[in-house]
Amino acid sequence: MDISVVIPLYNEAESLPELEAWIRRVMEEHGFSYEIIFINDGSTDDSWRIIQELREKNPHVRGVKFRRNYGKSPGLQCGFARTQGDVVITMDADLQDSPDEIPGLYHMVKEEGYDLVSGWKQKRYDPVLSKNLPSKLFNATARKLSGIDNLHDFNCGLKAYRSEVVKSIEIYNDMHRYIPYMAKVAGFSRIGEKVVQHQARKYGTSKFGLNRFVNGYLDLITLWFTSTFGRKPMHFFGLGGSLMFIIGFLALAVVLCSKLFHIWTGTPAPLVTDRPYFFIALTAMVIGTQLFLSGFVAELLARQSQDRNDYRIDEEI
């Protein structure tokens, strides 16, 4: 099979028939063998009924129905596990990603040798303050931390992957934003970008709020930390602990020398413990260190949890 198209969705019943017809037309025009895998992420509208009807009309359509809403990352993970195509295409179900981009993405993977190609919506039809500006700041941070300097839009839903890539990575929580970074960590370094057309939303409203940017930064820090120090945490904690110990030891030496000097000269000197800022600073350092360590340990436990990608599937066609 040439292409697998994975489409996670939540309450997008109105756009599904048009999207399926558009993808089918593109595939038939270019003679691709293909499958379309719709992941219904606990929709409360008629999305699943529409998917069943599309399956009856087009045998290339497949569907997975979650019992409840889990999020985009679980949808992609379940879709990736079921793909059979040499090239895997992901796109959103809201018609803002154009299926006409599929042949170009497929060519970059199969002919130009890219492991992953990410779309770049250079011209966007989203609100400037609530989406465009935060997205630019977020992508600048992601480029800096990931070292993937040639990507302008990490969060673009329209991407193409060599099949080996999606079978080699595991997406959980909200890590779908950082699939290029995860692919790089897994050893797939041929990562490219293609300018793609961004369509204005035709039906419904966006399912993502401003909290995704806050969560995105937290996930990025987690991914960077675990990919860098996950297998060698002592390199981080040992260095940080050593620096804190040395600074504390030097500070203590200064305090003791100062006290000894005052004793030697017979001049009065206040006790260090009489100064409240000493306890405030010490408490802040201890609490900050404990919180960071607790977060790291919790992340390691989450990654090792046996049910981290165990999602309840209600039906599959």
Side-chain angles (χ1 to χ4, degrees):
M1 184 179 294
D2 294 323
I3 297 175
S4 295
V5 183
V6 178
I7 306 174
L9 62 104
Y10 178 70
N11 290 345
E12 298 287 357
E14 294 176 304
S15 63
L16 293 180
E18 186 174 339
L19 178 60
E20 184 274 334
W22 195 352
I23 295 174
R24 173 162 39 88
R25 175 181 61 79
V26 171
M27 297 298 185
E28 291 174 353
E29 286 179 356
H30 292 83
F32 292 131
S33 56
Y34 72 99
E35 63 181 354
I36 306 173
I37 305 176
F38 289 108
I39 309 297
N40 182 27
D41 188 21
S43 297
T44 56
D45 63 359
D46 289 332
S47 293
W48 184 245
R49 181 182 61 80
I50 298 297
I51 293 172
Q52 291 175 314
E53 293 176 356
L54 294 175
R55 167 70 178 180
E56 293 175 0
K57 299 176 183 178
N58 183 358
H60 299 287
V61 171
R62 300 171 61 190
V64 175
K65 180 185 178 184
F66 285 164
R67 286 189 177 274
R68 66 172 180 84
N69 179 256
Y70 286 103
K72 187 173 183 178
S73 290
L76 289 175
Q77 177 68 21
C78 288
F80 288 165
R82 290 161 173 76
T83 57
Q84 303 174 44
D86 294 335
V87 175
V88 178
I89 305 288
T90 60
M91 62 172 51
D92 295 333
D94 54 11
L95 296 175
Q96 290 190 283
D97 296 330
S98 171
D100 288 329
E101 305 287 353
I102 291 177
L105 293 168
Y106 176 83
H107 175 79
M108 291 183 70
V109 173
K110 291 294 288 185
E111 305 300 330
E112 299 182 26
Y114 285 100
D115 297 315
L116 184 155
V117 180
S118 181
W120 176 21
K121 298 172 182 176
Q122 196 170 22
K123 182 179 180 181
R124 301 180 65 98
Y125 293 93
D126 292 326
V128 175
L129 293 179
S130 63
K131 283 193 174 182
N132 285 2
L133 184 58
S135 180
K136 289 181 182 296
L137 296 174
F138 168 76
N139 283 299
T141 305
R143 282 194 299 271
K144 186 68 174 178
L145 286 182
S146 68
I148 307 176
D149 299 326
N150 61 318
L151 292 191
H152 293 82
D153 191 356
F154 278 74
N155 202 31
C156 179
L158 186 57
K159 289 182 173 65
Y161 312 82
R162 193 178 303 279
S163 177
E164 293 86 344
V165 176
V166 301
K167 302 297 184 181
S168 301
I169 60 176
E170 181 185 25
I171 314 168
Y172 66 103
N173 292 343
D174 290 317
M175 292 297 184
H176 61 272
R177 303 178 181 90
Y178 308 111
I179 293 180
Y181 190 11
M182 300 172 75
K184 178 185 175 183
V185 172
F188 299 97
S189 58
R190 291 275 294 165
I191 299 175
E193 183 176 67
K194 182 181 185 299
V195 176
V196 297
Q197 182 181 0
H198 183 225
Q199 314 268 105
R201 175 178 274 275
K202 191 173 182 178
Y203 304 105
T205 58
S206 175
K207 311 303 187 298
F208 299 99
L210 289 175
N211 64 324
R212 67 173 180 160
F213 294 107
V214 177
N215 295 336
Y217 275 111
L218 297 176
D219 288 337
L220 178 58
I221 293 172
T222 297
L223 183 58
W224 169 80
F225 189 87
T226 54
S227 64
T228 305
F229 300 105
R231 295 181 181 274
K232 45 186 179 181
M234 185 50 86
H235 287 197
F236 177 84
F237 294 113
L239 177 61
S242 298
L243 289 175
M244 290 181 65
F245 177 82
I246 292 172
I247 293 173
F249 180 81
L250 292 176
L252 179 61
V254 170
V255 171
L256 290 177
C257 290
S258 175
K259 188 67 175 178
L260 290 174
F261 175 78
H262 283 286
I263 294 175
W264 180 264
T265 58
T267 56
L271 294 173
V272 174
T273 54
D274 289 338
R275 301 177 181 179
Y277 71 84
F278 169 78
F279 293 100
I280 294 173
L282 184 62
T283 303
M285 290 174 60
V286 171
I287 292 177
T289 303
Q290 289 178 335
L291 287 175
F292 195 86
L293 288 174
S294 299
F296 180 67
V297 172
E299 180 63 26
L300 289 180
L301 292 174
R303 289 176 64 86
Q304 298 301 321
S305 173
Q306 294 181 356
D307 62 351
R308 62 185 177 276
N309 267 323
D310 183 17
Y311 307 112
R312 300 290 181 251
I313 295 176
D314 185 37
E315 190 175 348
E316 185 170 355
I317 56 176

